Amino acid sequence: QVRLVESGGGLVQAGGSLRLSCAASGSIISINALGWFRQAPGEQRQMVALISNIGSTNYAHFVKGRFTISRDDAKNMLYLQMNSLKPEDTGVYYCRSVIPPGGPWGQGTQVTVSS
């Protein structure tokens, strides 16, 4: 099973931008759907964005128009461009194979948006 490792998080002011990266230990070309998820303190993990192997995307309503998910199968990478960040975007962000379902969750990358 391909292992995914997140990076790119950090501290940013409201209105700022961050680009998250997700590096795969092997080929992702056979992964039909990849996703970004996040978990805020005291809350359940929630889906942020999904992308299929043909580039179709789906976004949670609270990030639509601000975040962009992309994948580079040649580099075995998944990305999340986050613009116009809000304090409520704060949380730990995870990448994961959705179809087929991924294994254990990774460590994620912390995103903190200050007001």
Side-chain angles (χ1 to χ4, degrees), residues 64-77:
K64 197 171 290 186
R66 299 188 297 123
F67 290 12
T68 302
I69 188 172
S70 62
R71 62 191 284 175
D72 187 335
D73 289 0
K75 296 181 179 179
N76 298 320
M77 294 291 294

Side-chain angles (χ1 to χ4, degrees), residues 2 24 26-34 52-54 71-74 76-77 99-100:
V2 174
S27 175
I28 63 171
I29 199 167
S30 63
I31 300 179
N32 291 334
L34 289 161
S52 76
N53 58 353
I54 59 170
R71 62 191 284 175
D72 187 335
D73 289 0
N76 298 320
M77 294 291 294
I99 302 174

Side-chain angles (χ1 to χ4, degrees), residues 5-10 18 20-22 35-40 45-49 62-63 66-67 80-82 85-96 105-113:
V5 179
E6 308 88 348
S7 63
L18 280 175
L20 304 184
S21 297
C22 174
W36 284 99
F37 299 78
R38 74 185 187 192
Q39 187 167 20
R45 192 175 283 131
Q46 56 188 178
M47 187 276 288
V48 173
F62 48 79
V63 303
R66 299 188 297 123
F67 290 12
L80 185 68
Q81 178 66 43
M82 306 187 297
L85 282 161
K86 304 175 181 179
E88 51 264 44
D89 294 319
T90 293
V92 180
Y93 284 70
Y94 304 86
C95 59
R96 185 175 177 84
W105 293 90
Q107 292 191 337
T109 185
Q110 175 71 45
V111 172
T112 303
V113 185

